[in-house]
Amino acid sequence: MLALALSRALALSLSLSISLSLARSFALALALALALARSRTRTLARLLALASVTGVARYVPECYPGPLVHAEIKYLMQYMAEPVRPLGVIIGGSKVADKIGVLRSLIQKADTIIVGGRMAFTFLAALGTEIGKTQIEEKWLEAAREMVHTATARGVRFYLPSDILVSESLDGPVGMRVVNLSKKCCTADKPCVPAGCYGVDIGPRSCEEIAVELARCNTLFWNGPMGKYEVPEFGEGTTAVARAFAASPGSTIIGGGDSVAAINQLGVASKMTHISTGGGASLELIEGVAMPRTAPPPPSP
C-alpha cells in the first residue's frame, strides 16, 4: 500500500512540477523519503523499485526505458539468448543459494560452465572431494550434485578448480600455499584443505586451465570473483579471468560486482562488449524471470 501511495504521490509531483516552486518540490520529495524511511514492512530499495519502475509508470501516458535498461536488455538478450557458440559462462562468489536459479538456467544454454569462488567448494564437496572445515552450504549439496549431472548429460563442460590457494587467515596471507584438489589423494582424515586453513582463491593450474576453456569460446559471460578478491594476495584468480576476457576476440559480457572491479583495475574495460550495471536484476533477466515494465506491450486490438 505504501508503494502504491508513493507511486501516486510521485506521479502527482511530476504533473505539478511546472507550477510548484523548487522549495515545495523539495519538501514533497523529503516527505516521501521520510515515509519510506519509516516503513517497517519492506526495504527502502524494494519500495523505490516498486514506486519508480512499476508504480509511476501507471500514471504516465507514455513510458520508455532509459539508456541503461535498454543496454541491459539489448546486450543480455542478444548475446545470451542467441549467442555465437561456444558460449562460456564463469560464475563465482560465495553462495550457491544466490545463484542457483541462474546456474540452472545457464546449464540449458551454455556450452561451458566454470564455477569458482567459495561456492565452488559446495560443488566439490557434493562430488566427493574432502575439503576439511571449509565452509559449504550443506542444504545445497544435492542441488549442486544434480546440476553437475544435468550438465554432463547435456554435454556441457562443467569445470571446477583443480587446485586452490589456502591461507591460515582470511584477512591476509598467513602460511599461504597451493594445494591440489582430488578425490583420489584426499580423505576425511587428511582432507585436501589442511586443518586450520581456508580456501581463498583458485590456484595457478586452475588459472591456466580456465584460460584454455575460455579461449575456446566465442561468447563469454562472467559474474563473481574467483576468490577473496578484496585481499590483494587472494585476487590472482580473478585477475587471471579478467586477462582471459581481455584477450578474447569474441563477445564479452561482464555481469557486475567484483568482476567489474577486476576489469577496471586491469584497465581493460574498453575491451569488453558490455559491462552490466544491473546487478542481481541482470542475473534474473538471464534466468528468465519476468522483469517489471520490460515486457513488450500487448498488440493493439
Side-chain angles (χ1 to χ4, degrees), residues 126-212:
L127 298 180
T129 301
E130 296 291 344
I131 56 172
K133 301 299 183 181
T134 302
Q135 185 178 5
I136 61 172
E137 296 166 272
E138 297 278 354
K139 66 178 292 185
W140 294 105
L141 287 172
E142 184 55 39
R145 192 178 300 113
E146 172 194 330
M147 281 189 282
V148 174
H149 291 164
T150 300
T152 302
R154 294 195 71 256
V156 176
R157 298 165 69 92
F158 199 102
Y159 178 88
L160 293 167
S162 59
D163 66 341
I164 59 169
L165 190 68
V166 300
S167 171
E168 295 170 17
S169 171
L170 291 172
D171 299 321
V174 178
M176 192 169 67
R177 56 196 184 275
V178 175
V179 299
N180 294 322
L181 299 175
S182 171
K183 289 186 290 186
K184 297 179 180 178
C185 65
C186 299
T187 65
D189 295 329
K190 192 177 181 181
C192 296
V193 180
C197 290
Y198 306 92
V200 294
D201 196 9
I202 59 175
R205 186 173 70 220
S206 295
C207 290
E208 294 175 1
E209 292 170 349
I210 288 173
V212 171

Side-chain angles (χ1 to χ4, degrees), residues 90 201-212 214-215 220 222 225-227 229 234-248 262-263 266 268 272:
I90 183 160
D201 196 9
I202 59 175
R205 186 173 70 220
S206 295
C207 290
E208 294 175 1
E209 292 170 349
I210 288 173
V212 171
L214 296 179
L220 296 173
W222 177 24
M226 297 294 97
Y229 179 70
F234 305 157
E236 182 54 38
T238 302
T239 301
V241 172
R243 291 195 191 100
F245 266 63
S248 172
I263 291 294
L266 200 61
V268 295
M272 301 301 113

Side-chain angles (χ1 to χ4, degrees), residues 213-298:
E213 290 289 339
L214 296 179
R216 296 179 53 255
C217 300
N218 289 317
T219 304
L220 296 173
F221 176 84
W222 177 24
N223 175 270
M226 297 294 97
K228 204 171 189 300
Y229 179 70
E230 58 269 28
V231 178
E233 292 85 355
F234 305 157
E236 182 54 38
T238 302
T239 301
V241 172
R243 291 195 191 100
F245 266 63
S248 172
S251 302
T252 48
I253 312 297
I254 308 300
D258 286 331
S259 308
V260 177
I263 291 294
N264 288 333
Q265 184 174 330
L266 200 61
V268 295
S270 62
K271 296 184 178 181
M272 301 301 113
T273 304
H274 177 62
I275 297 178
S276 172
T277 58
S282 296
L283 294 183
E284 290 185 0
L285 187 63
I286 293 172
E287 182 183 342
V289 175
M291 306 300 291
R293 296 289 166 179
T294 59

